Amino acid sequence: MKLQQLILLSSFTVLLGMSGLTNARPIVIGYQTNIEPAKVAQADGVYDKAIGQKLDWRLFNSGAEVLTALASGSVDIALIGSSPLGAAVANNLPIEVFLISTDLKSAEALVVRNGSGIHSPKDLIGKKVATPFASTAHYSLLGALKHWNIKTNQIRLLNLKPAEINAAWRRGDIDAAFVWSPALANIQKTGKVMTDAGQVGQWGSPTFEVWVARKDFAKKHPEVLSKFSTVTLNYYDSYNRNKKQWTADSPAVKKIAKITGVDAQDVPTLLAGAEYPDRQVQLSQQYLGGRTTQNIANSVNFLKAQGLVKKVSPDYQQFITTRYISGSK
């Protein structure tokens, strides 16, 4: 199903029908297998303790799946990448970004298969290159191709989910892939990185991941988002201050490995592949205080160029809030 079809599920009729949900059911958190320090808090139930109730954590395989869940009202808080976020705001899904999760660097990368004959960007021409469409990795891949002056119709571009990329790589069906872990860690074992999200960001196409909440939920439960943000930022601070302690045999890394399905030996490198902004940086012009709005606009323009959304707005500030980390009302 195409992303624009999934977005159609976000009709206001559905959303309004679900807006009466209360704590008759647990708070539902949609997460993905991205590698980041606060996964330890999830594993240890720290979020549950801080918020004061048992949370229902649900794993999603793609941003498109997350958007469908947000639209139906079946999740309250969720993690999505900047490209799915662009699709959400372009279609006026009533959500708001309240926390930057990660600024992607080497956490997403383009890996070329050993023996594929790909030694330079021009060698990609005519090769099978896979990525999950409308994802941050897709956005980075197209940004890289643009930088290298390679048109998308010059490669054999395949729309595959991370698990499908893993399987296709093992069969030898694809020559390269731009993806995140655990697929990234797996394919790197028999391939080499040609570029990554951090490099592509320097070329003008940055990607990031955010925590969003449905606006109706946020209005009713602002204290939940404040507590959720505090827990997350505390773990980011702990990691940023003590990176050397997050080794493959440390309890924290083992918990991340268990919850994401990534080999513990790969986790430290993957953790180092992204930046985790602290409270002050979150509020700065670099992120929620300014540049995030433009980065969202860039993502929407990317999706429009792919024919995945139709509308482009001059301003997306209405989808961003700092109140849950700044303490403002």
Side-chain angles (χ1 to χ4, degrees):
M1 184 179 290
K2 293 183 178 180
L3 184 59
Q4 60 264 49
Q5 293 174 307
L6 290 170
I7 296 300
L8 291 176
L9 294 173
S10 63
S11 67
F12 287 111
T13 301
V14 173
L15 287 163
L16 291 174
M18 298 299 294
S19 64
L21 287 173
T22 65
N23 284 354
R25 66 156 171 78
I27 295 170
V28 181
I29 315 290
Y31 75 100
Q32 298 187 57
T33 57
N34 63 317
I35 305 297
E36 51 93 12
K39 283 288 194 297
V40 180
Q42 179 182 343
D44 286 345
V46 177
Y47 286 105
D48 308 61
K49 295 172 186 175
I51 292 170
Q53 63 176 282
K54 180 69 174 177
L55 305 176
D56 182 359
W57 292 86
R58 297 185 186 177
L59 176 62
F60 291 89
N61 296 312
S62 68
E65 291 181 5
V66 174
L67 294 186
T68 302
L70 284 166
S72 70
S74 60
V75 300
D76 306 303
I77 300 169
L79 181 123
I80 56 175
S82 47
S83 293
L85 174 63
V89 302
N91 287 274
N92 288 314
L93 191 67
I95 60 172
E96 54 186 359
V97 176
F98 68 93
L99 188 68
I100 300 294
S101 172
T102 55
D103 186 353
L104 298 172
K105 301 299 181 184
S106 61
E108 295 188 357
L110 174 63
V111 180
V112 298
R113 173 190 296 282
N114 294 339
S116 64
I118 302 173
H119 305 290
S120 66
K122 63 179 177 56
D123 295 329
L124 290 167
I125 295 174
K127 300 293 187 179
K128 294 179 180 179
V129 184
T131 194
F133 279 14
S135 68
T136 47
H138 186 199
Y139 180 72
S140 292
L141 173 59
L142 296 191
L145 293 175
K146 180 179 180 181
H147 178 78
W148 294 324
N149 294 314
I150 298 174
K151 296 180 180 179
T152 54
N153 62 7
Q154 290 182 286
I155 65 172
R156 299 175 67 180
L157 186 58
L158 303 175
N159 178 17
L160 298 179
K161 295 178 180 179
E164 294 171 332
I165 287 175
N166 253 336
W169 190 275
R170 287 195 301 268
R171 294 192 303 266
D173 291 346
I174 55 178
D175 304 298
F178 212 128
V179 71
W180 55 90
S181 283
L184 174 60
N186 291 335
I187 67 176
Q188 277 185 275
K189 294 172 182 176
T190 53
K192 63 179 180 180
V193 172
M194 176 164 283
T195 191
D196 60 32
Q199 180 65 70
V200 179
Q202 293 179 18
W203 294 337
S205 303
T207 51
F208 52 97
E209 294 169 325
V210 299
W211 282 105
V212 303
R214 293 194 347 264
K215 287 188 175 182
D216 60 337
F217 177 85
K219 184 177 181 179
K220 292 178 181 178
H221 306 287
E223 76 289 348
V224 170
L225 300 187
S226 295
K227 292 174 181 177
F228 187 95
S229 299
T230 296
V231 169
T232 304
L233 293 172
N234 284 344
Y235 276 78
Y236 288 1
D237 287 343
S238 177
Y239 173 77
N240 289 332
R241 290 195 309 267
N242 308 287
K243 293 181 181 180
K244 292 183 179 180
Q245 296 180 16
W246 293 64
T247 58
D249 59 352
S250 67
V253 164
K254 288 180 179 178
K255 290 171 184 176
I256 294 174
K258 184 176 181 180
I259 211 168
T260 60
V262 175
D263 191 312
Q265 296 297 323
D266 297 323
V267 171
T269 299
L270 294 169
L271 279 170
E275 293 181 358
Y276 313 100
D278 62 23
R279 190 182 303 271
Q280 182 177 355
V281 175
Q282 295 259 349
L283 295 169
S284 72
Q285 283 296 313
Q286 183 179 355
Y287 290 108
L288 296 178
R291 194 180 301 170
T292 297
T293 303
Q294 183 57 52
N295 288 340
I296 291 175
N298 292 342
S299 294
V300 175
N301 288 329
F302 154 71
L303 292 169
K304 187 174 185 296
Q306 302 305 307
L308 296 172
V309 301
K310 295 181 179 180
K311 299 178 181 178
V312 175
S313 169
D315 184 19
Y316 295 100
Q317 187 60 49
Q318 63 174 308
F319 295 98
I320 300 172
T321 181
T322 60
R323 67 175 64 92
Y324 305 113
I325 58 175
S326 66
S328 61
K329 301 297 183 180

